Amino acid sequence: MNFIYNRQQAAGYIKNLDEIDLISLLRMSKEKNVKIPIALPKEMDISLAVASIIADNMINEADLEKNFDIGQEKYKKLSQMQEVFKFMNTLNRDYGVNADKFLLSDSSIVKKVESGEVPFALVTTLSSKEIDESKNIAIVNNNIIDNSKVNPPVIIDHLVCQLQNAKNKDEVVRFLDYLSDDESYKALGKEGIITGNRSANSELKGLQSQMIWPISVANENNIVFYHNLPYKMKPHIVEQTKNLINGAYSGSEWQTIVDKTYTEKK
């Protein structure tokens, strides 16, 4: 996910554009009472997107992975999870990051940022083709939040794998070879489409080459945090993040998520 902004709009508010970070954009949004358009995959809730940006910069995903589905009592001891929800509350309280702050959109929002109709937006690399030759848009990538490097979440929509006992293994292997072959992706790169293939991404220029930064440096800490938690937790995580983005903070969000996950009726 990337924050994009209109250079001229930002220059009217922020003196040193080299110091733009997510917090400065959120402050600008609050003081100018501007909504933040957001273009996300259909299956991703806005509150979950905000939580993912925070979580990927506050927790070690490897800890979640190695402690996957460890049970109710052990999960409660992962205190860093509550810090994510605490910071969501800070964003809500101090920067006005609430449900009304965001405006659902699609990749066409890039053109509105380009024209200055809206000052900034939160988009994914799916919008990269729209940003190809923009002269007025800049991207907040490797900037800082409170002296911490931004660690953008990388969203994975699909995984392709082979069953160990699958039939027609030779055909499956040939198909997987096709999917992993550089040439299959280079044509996409020439069309301005960002993929996970480095050779194809080398075809990208300008702002598109900046948008691939989260993918090019991605590691286990860029995986959205809820993918390293049991799937049965997700509805309870969404419930709590929605509460938070609507201004309801209890201070025990993580404990509530864990309790509901492991005590609900099967």
Side-chain angles (χ1 to χ4, degrees):
M1 289 188 280
N2 299 90
F3 266 98
I4 61 173
Y5 63 93
N6 181 284
R7 296 175 188 274
Q8 293 179 339
Q9 291 278 343
Y13 178 80
I14 301 169
K15 293 182 179 179
N16 188 352
L17 294 183
D18 291 333
E19 295 180 358
I20 285 185
D21 58 23
L22 300 186
I23 293 299
S24 63
L25 288 181
L26 291 175
R27 188 179 295 115
M28 174 182 171
S29 172
K30 180 181 180 181
E31 295 187 7
K32 289 195 170 187
N33 194 28
V34 176
K35 290 183 180 290
I36 303 174
I38 183 168
L40 292 172
K42 293 180 180 179
E43 67 276 7
M44 194 172 206
D45 177 80
I46 289 177
S47 66
L48 201 56
V50 174
S52 296
I53 293 171
I54 296 169
D56 280 18
N57 287 278
M58 295 187 70
I59 62 177
N60 188 336
E61 296 287 349
D63 288 342
L64 293 184
E65 183 180 6
K66 71 182 181 182
N67 290 299
F68 185 81
D69 207 3
I70 54 176
Q72 185 173 3
E73 295 307 315
K74 289 184 178 179
Y75 260 137
K76 286 183 180 180
K77 295 179 181 179
L78 297 181
S79 58
Q80 69 268 32
M81 291 302 301
Q82 183 58 38
E83 293 301 310
V84 173
F85 303 117
K86 182 179 179 181
F87 193 73
M88 278 192 75
N89 180 56
T90 299
L91 292 181
N92 177 274
R93 183 190 65 223
D94 297 346
Y95 298 96
V97 178
N98 54 47
D100 293 332
K101 176 60 64 178
F102 297 97
L103 182 66
L104 279 175
S105 185
D106 54 34
S107 59
S108 65
I109 193 63
V110 173
K111 294 179 180 178
K112 293 184 178 181
V113 177
E114 168 73 18
S115 67
E117 183 178 343
V118 296
F120 45 74
L122 177 61
V123 301
T124 69
T125 53
L126 294 175
S127 303
S128 62
K129 198 170 182 180
E130 301 287 342
I131 209 170
D132 185 13
E133 298 180 356
S134 173
K135 296 180 180 179
N136 297 324
I137 291 177
I139 299 172
V140 177
N141 271 338
N142 197 15
N143 292 76
I144 58 174
I145 301 177
D146 295 337
N147 297 318
S148 298
K149 186 180 292 185
V150 174
N151 196 39
V154 175
I155 302 169
I156 300 173
D157 284 335
H158 305 287
L159 290 175
V160 180
C161 58
Q162 177 185 358
L163 295 175
Q164 188 172 4
N165 59 347
K167 297 179 180 180
N168 303 320
K169 287 188 177 181
D170 291 341
E171 287 81 358
V172 173
V173 169
R174 282 198 293 270
F175 178 66
L176 292 176
D177 286 343
Y178 167 76
L179 289 180
S180 59
D181 184 69
D182 288 348
E183 295 302 319
S184 302
Y185 290 93
K186 285 183 178 179
L188 296 175
K190 290 178 180 178
E191 291 293 324
I193 298 172
I194 294 175
T195 70
N197 183 279
R198 290 185 178 182
S199 295
N201 288 341
S202 66
E203 302 281 343
L204 302 172
K205 299 178 181 179
L207 288 173
Q208 288 179 332
S209 66
Q210 293 180 40
M211 288 189 79
I212 65 173
W213 173 76
I215 296 175
S216 64
V217 300
N219 56 36
E220 68 272 11
N221 284 321
N222 294 84
I223 298 172
V224 285
F225 76 103
Y226 55 86
H227 282 331
N228 280 322
L229 293 168
Y231 184 76
K232 58 188 175 183
M233 264 191 186
K234 187 176 179 181
H236 306 303
I237 293 172
V238 172
E239 179 185 25
Q240 294 302 311
T241 56
K242 282 186 174 180
N243 288 344
L244 280 162
I245 211 166
N246 282 294
Y249 176 67
S250 67
S252 58
E253 281 75 14
W254 177 239
Q255 180 173 327
T256 299
I257 290 167
V258 173
D259 285 343
K260 286 190 173 184
T261 299
Y262 287 95
T263 59
E264 67 178 5
K265 294 181 180 180
K266 303 295 182 181

